């Protein structure tokens, strides 16, 4: 085996992998990033569908580690579009000379731990091998699309596209009959855009989502300057917030205020347009069914105002789960799109998708002729990308371990997998936060730990089984106190058949979590076992 040797192998060239590379290079380590895509950018490279845009505000959804970078970049919209975020990531790659450290079109299929020599061997689909004492899995939480096994898919004579593998050439929808399957955040962004060009759009909805108007707007030079003048405090507030982005909300129960006060507060935040702010309007929306009901009623009334046909409005309003227990979406004209003559809702609760045929889709009620089918059917989230690789640790594979329960130490390391770090893994705030901030927090914790271990002569780092279980128990206790644990969605792994049910993110808050990481660092990393290289090991 002709293996290439590095100090660190990083898998994934999204926001996380690129920052891990920056940190490794600063420490003078020989690092390489392996990326299966044909360019950098991760999420923002793959998900280039029409309407793709951020749901965290631009100033928050950006790197904070270098003031020069944040001063020189100007955001043009409150919620940046996919092309703008991708352009930003490319700017970062150029500024810090990262491209030479990234190997594109390189799909990691396996990683195995050599306990004798304390080395990981990483194997790729292209039949290459990379060896390093440390591996950082920056493989993303929403990077493995879920493609349902609809019967007859291969028979379809038109074009089939997946939102998460959108063709770089784009897709021409003009005068086409299009089905969009899925009405999560992605479907909600795609449907209004496609409806502008298509002859007809059939929106296949199985579970309606709650969505708020994004109230997106252009950002002026003055808007940018105001934040640039106060970026230090701005970032500080974000780090000390529950969601990794400051929310202008109150620490009050929705049930302690009058109905008028509650309505006014919901309206104020609705008009602002931010899922994070709306979901934290009151401190018990995610813990009290009754409080959550008040928010549901408010948003349901707004949906009724946005949809002309009252029957159709009722079918678009979610029932049976709490607001924000599944992803609370934001949209630009989503509900209004159903007022167009060329848009039809196909309610899959009443009308089953029976078969994809050569000409379109046959439901239990009719045959729909189509030219294009768009899948916006979500992801095997948080754990799915890692469990698809053959990652073999000290006593078995990660897919075996996480097949039972997605246990980890703080979402950063996994017992049984020494020297393997995960960025925003299960059990970290990850997808319940501004991911950019959580990614920075993780990468900094990981690179500081690596530097500290190297300085002290430790070659092997592993969380103890006890420390891992302690974190898992704490994380579960927190989520058990919320309404989220009962939701059926990718947040709990229940969108993928056979996946164990577990709230995949830590819900205690970015602020609490960050304080925990800082404490662990200050205390010399309790919970980790660190050891020096054994005698006789390969140098
Ligand atoms: P990714 O960007 O997913 O990058 C991981 C990379 O690893 C990918 O390029 C992938 O190809 C590569 N990879 C994976 N497995 C392998 C392998 N085996 N071999 C080689 N390479 C591999 N978060 C927010 O906070 N706010 C938002 O508004 C928001 N919007 C989103 C919109 C969409 C459409 C999606 C899908 C996600 C969104 N997210 C959002 C979450 C988003 O994934 C994160 O914010 C962030 O981009 C993740 O960065 P990352 O580097 O951790 O992972
Ligand atoms: P998602 O929220 O999981 O939505 C997938 C949709 O596909 C759901 O409506 C789901 O219905 C449907 N679906 C899946 N399998 C199906 C089947 N077999 N038959 C019929 N319908 C099926 O996935 P997503 O929309 O891609 O979003 C995932 C996450 O990515 C978001 O929650 C968010 O974190 C992120 N994202 C963010 C933005 C943004 O605004 N910035 C945009 C896109 C994505 P069921 O619910 O009934 O399963």
């Amino acid at each position: 085996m002709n293996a290439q040797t590095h100090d660190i192998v990083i898998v994934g060239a999204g926001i996380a992998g690129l920052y891990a590379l920056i940190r490794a290079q600063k420490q003078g380590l020989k690092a390489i990033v392996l990326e299966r895509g044909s360019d950098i950018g991760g999420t923002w490279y793959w998900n280039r569908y029409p309407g793709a845009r951020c749901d965290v505000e631009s100033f928050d959804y950006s790197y904070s580690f270098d003031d020069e970078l944040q001063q020189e970049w100007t955001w043009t919209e409150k919620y940046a579009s996919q092309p703008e975020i991708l352009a930003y990531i490319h700017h970062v790659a150029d500024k810090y000379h990262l491209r030479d450290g990234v190997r594109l079109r390189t799909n990691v299929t396996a990683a195995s731990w050599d306990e004798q020599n304390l080395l990981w061997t990483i194997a790729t689909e292209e039949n290459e091998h990379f060896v390093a004492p440390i591996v950082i899995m920056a493989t993303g939480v929403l990077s493995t699309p879920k493609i349902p096994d609809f019967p007859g898919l291969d028979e379809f004579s038109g074009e089939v596209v997946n939102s998460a593998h959108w063709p770089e050439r784009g897709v021409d929808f003009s005068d086409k009959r299009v089905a969009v399957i899925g009405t999560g955040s992605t479907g909600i962004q795609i449907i209004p855009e496609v409806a502008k060009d298509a002859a007809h759009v059939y929106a296949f909805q199985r579970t309606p989502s709650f969505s708020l108007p994004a109230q997106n707007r252009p950002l002026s030079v003055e808007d940018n300057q105001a934040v640039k003048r106060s970026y230090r405090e701005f970032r500080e507030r974000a780090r000390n917030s529950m969601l990794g982005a400051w929310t202008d909300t109150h620490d009050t129960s929705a049930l302690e205020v009058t109905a008028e006060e509650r309505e006014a507060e919901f309206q104020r935040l609705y008009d602002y347009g931010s899922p994070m702010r709306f979901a934290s309007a009151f401190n018990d929306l995610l813990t009290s069914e009754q409080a959550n009901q008040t928010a549901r009623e408010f948003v349901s009334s707004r949906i009724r105002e946005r949809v002309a046909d009252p029957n159709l409005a009722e079918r678009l309003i979610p029932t049976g789960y709490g607001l924000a227990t599944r992803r609370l979406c934001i949209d630009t004209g989503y509900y209004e799109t159903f007022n167009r003559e060329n848009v039809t809702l196909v309610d899959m609760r009443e009308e089953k998708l029976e078969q994809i045929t050569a000409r379109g889709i046959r439901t239990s009620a009719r045959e729909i002729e189509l030219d294009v089918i768009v899948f916006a059917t979500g992801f095997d989230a948080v754990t799915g990308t890692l469990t698809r690789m053959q990652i073999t640790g000290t006593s078995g594979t990660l897919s075996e371990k996480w097949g039972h329960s997605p246990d980890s130490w703080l979402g950063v390391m996994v017992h049984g997998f020494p020297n393997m770090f995960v960025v925003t893994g299960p059990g970290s705030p990850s997808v319940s936060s501004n991911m950019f901030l959580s990614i920075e927090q993780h990468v900094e914790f990981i690179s500081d730990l690596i530097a500290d271990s190297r300085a002290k002569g430790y070659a092997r780092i592993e969380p103890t089984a006890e420390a891992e279980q302690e974190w898992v128990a704490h994380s579960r206790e927190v989520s058990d106190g919320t309404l989220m644990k009962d939701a059926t969605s990718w947040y709990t792994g229940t969108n993928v058949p056979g996946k164990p049910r577990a709230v995949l993110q830590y819900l205690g808050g970015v602020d609490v979590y960050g304080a925990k990481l800082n404490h662990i660092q200050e205390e010399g990393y309790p919970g980790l076992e660190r050891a020096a290289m054994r005698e006789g090991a390969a140098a």
Side-chain angles (χ1 to χ4, degrees):
M1 186 177 77
N2 198 3
Q4 304 175 41
T5 307
H6 293 83
D7 294 327
I8 302 186
V9 170
I10 300 161
V11 188
I15 293 161
L18 295 177
Y19 188 39
L21 180 61
I22 291 173
R23 294 285 295 205
Q25 287 180 345
K26 267 198 182 147
Q27 291 173 356
L29 300 175
K30 188 181 169 205
I32 188 164
V33 177
L34 307 178
E35 166 57 55
R36 65 181 164 203
S38 46
D39 209 342
I40 60 167
T43 286
W44 304 102
Y45 163 77
W46 293 106
N47 295 263
R48 50 181 69 227
Y49 56 80
R53 127 180 352 272
C54 209
D55 64 6
V56 171
E57 290 183 54
S58 305
F59 295 120
D60 276 305
Y61 197 77
S62 55
Y63 289 113
S64 70
F65 67 87
D66 183 356
D67 192 47
E68 190 179 285
L69 171 65
Q70 51 188 21
Q71 292 299 331
E72 74 194 9
W73 186 263
T74 297
W75 292 104
T76 67
E77 289 181 274
K78 174 183 167 192
Y79 291 113
S81 65
Q82 172 269 332
E84 188 169 14
I85 299 172
L86 190 59
Y88 171 76
I89 296 172
H90 279 267
H91 171 75
V92 171
D94 291 339
K95 183 175 173 69
Y96 302 98
H97 313 290
L98 302 179
R99 288 181 201 275
D100 287 349
V102 181
R103 177 78 77 87
L104 298 169
R105 298 179 198 85
T106 305
N107 187 20
V108 173
T109 50
S112 359
W113 174 246
D114 168 358
E115 183 63 41
Q116 176 59 30
N117 297 307
L118 305 186
L119 290 171
W120 281 99
T121 299
I122 286 98
T124 73
E125 198 180 336
E126 296 72 24
N127 217 10
E128 286 183 291
H129 292 88
F130 298 82
V131 171
I134 288 165
V135 62
I136 299 181
M137 294 298 183
T139 43
V141 290
L142 293 161
S143 47
T144 296
K146 193 191 87 152
I147 302 156
D149 193 11
F150 292 118
L153 183 56
D154 293 342
E155 309 293 313
F156 184 57
S157 57
E159 189 173 2
V160 177
V161 278
N162 189 292
S163 59
H165 279 169
W166 203 260
E168 287 199 37
R169 61 177 160 77
V171 182
D172 180 11
F173 290 105
S174 43
D175 304 323
K176 303 262 173 69
R177 297 158 302 174
V178 184
V180 179
I181 303 182
T183 51
S185 306
T186 301
I188 280 180
Q189 290 185 326
I190 293 177
I191 290 163
E193 286 303 311
V194 175
K196 288 177 189 166
D197 295 332
H200 205 96
V201 176
Y202 297 88
F204 281 72
Q205 168 193 270
R206 188 167 66 181
T207 308
S209 297
F210 282 108
S211 184
L212 315 169
Q215 318 284 12
N216 192 26
R217 64 179 177 87
L219 292 174
S220 63
V221 173
E222 292 73 35
D223 291 326
N224 275 274
Q225 279 169 349
V227 176
K228 284 180 186 182
R229 273 196 299 273
S230 61
Y231 245 133
R232 214 184 147 90
E233 300 79 45
F234 183 93
R235 301 292 193 187
E236 197 55 35
R237 281 199 313 191
R239 269 188 285 271
N240 291 314
S241 70
M242 167 102 185
L243 298 173
W246 183 69
T247 52
D248 168 24
T249 49
H250 309 289
D251 194 12
T252 318
S253 160
L255 308 174
E256 277 171 6
V257 296
T258 65
E260 292 72 28
E261 285 167 337
R262 194 167 52 232
E263 186 84 359
E265 184 59 358
F266 282 144
Q267 188 65 50
R268 183 180 75 82
L269 296 168
Y270 184 85
D271 291 342
Y272 180 84
S274 153
M276 287 185 161
R277 293 189 190 211
F278 193 87
S280 35
F282 297 99
N283 63 14
D284 53 356
L285 294 185
L286 260 184
T287 52
S288 154
E289 172 55 35
Q290 215 189 334
N292 193 284
Q293 175 72 17
T294 65
R296 287 204 300 266
E297 280 169 10
F298 178 88
V299 177
S300 302
S301 300
R302 299 289 84 75
I303 297 172
R304 287 186 188 101
E305 288 165 6
R306 297 176 68 187
V307 181
D309 174 348
N311 291 325
L312 185 54
E314 291 313 312
R315 284 197 269 142
L316 288 163
I317 293 173
T319 52
Y321 69 89
L323 181 132
T325 62
R326 294 162 58 99
R327 187 80 172 182
L328 176 58
C329 306
I330 50 172
D331 69 89
T332 302
Y334 174 64
Y335 295 108
E336 291 79 0
T337 294
F338 289 92
N339 299 331
R340 295 175 68 115
E341 300 226 319
N342 70 336
V343 178
T344 301
L345 180 74
V346 181
D347 189 338
M348 296 172 83
R349 293 166 298 182
E350 293 164 4
E351 196 179 335
K352 300 268 174 283
L353 190 162
E354 286 188 338
Q355 176 89 25
I356 298 183
T357 65
R359 285 146 50 114
I361 293 179
R362 196 174 66 236
T363 72
S364 47
R366 58 186 145 164
E367 178 107 34
I368 300 172
E369 293 200 0
L370 298 165
D371 302 301
V372 187
I373 299 176
V374 175
F375 285 109
T377 40
F379 298 84
D380 185 348
V382 186
T383 54
T385 302
L386 288 170
T387 54
R388 272 172 181 71
M389 285 181 240
Q390 178 80 11
I391 302 177
T392 310
T394 54
S395 53
T397 67
L398 190 65
S399 63
E400 285 160 358
K401 176 164 174 152
W402 282 359
H404 296 293
S405 176
D407 296 353
S408 79
W409 181 73
L410 295 135
V412 181
M413 292 196 84
V414 185
H415 176 69
F417 299 84
N419 293 13
M420 182 184 88
F421 298 90
V422 182
V423 184
T424 64
S428 73
S430 71
V431 287
S432 278
S433 71
N434 165 14
M435 281 288 288
F436 230 114
L437 186 145
S438 285
I439 286 168
E440 279 194 327
Q441 192 180 47
H442 266 196
V443 170
E444 285 163 15
F445 180 79
I446 292 166
S447 61
D448 288 350
L449 169 55
I450 292 169
D452 183 77
S453 301
R454 287 174 67 92
K456 292 180 176 145
Y458 294 125
R460 189 185 191 284
I461 312 168
E462 185 187 4
T464 64
E466 296 71 34
E468 182 171 276
Q469 281 315 305
E470 208 177 294
W471 181 252
V472 169
H474 168 63
S475 193
R476 197 169 294 146
E477 191 186 349
V478 175
S479 55
D480 279 353
T482 72
L483 304 174
M484 203 179 275
K485 69 174 191 312
D486 301 320
T488 301
S489 85
W490 65 268
Y491 278 168
T492 50
T494 45
N495 66 329
V496 175
K499 196 164 166 170
R501 174 184 263 278
V503 174
L504 288 166
Q505 60 273 46
Y506 176 62
L507 299 177
V510 167
D511 45 357
V512 173
Y513 180 82
K516 173 86 183 167
L517 291 187
N518 290 342
H519 178 74
I520 288 173
Q521 197 173 2
E522 281 156 18
E523 295 295 308
Y525 301 102
L528 291 180
E529 259 174 10
R530 297 196 286 174
M533 184 67 79
R534 289 190 197 146
E535 269 182 43

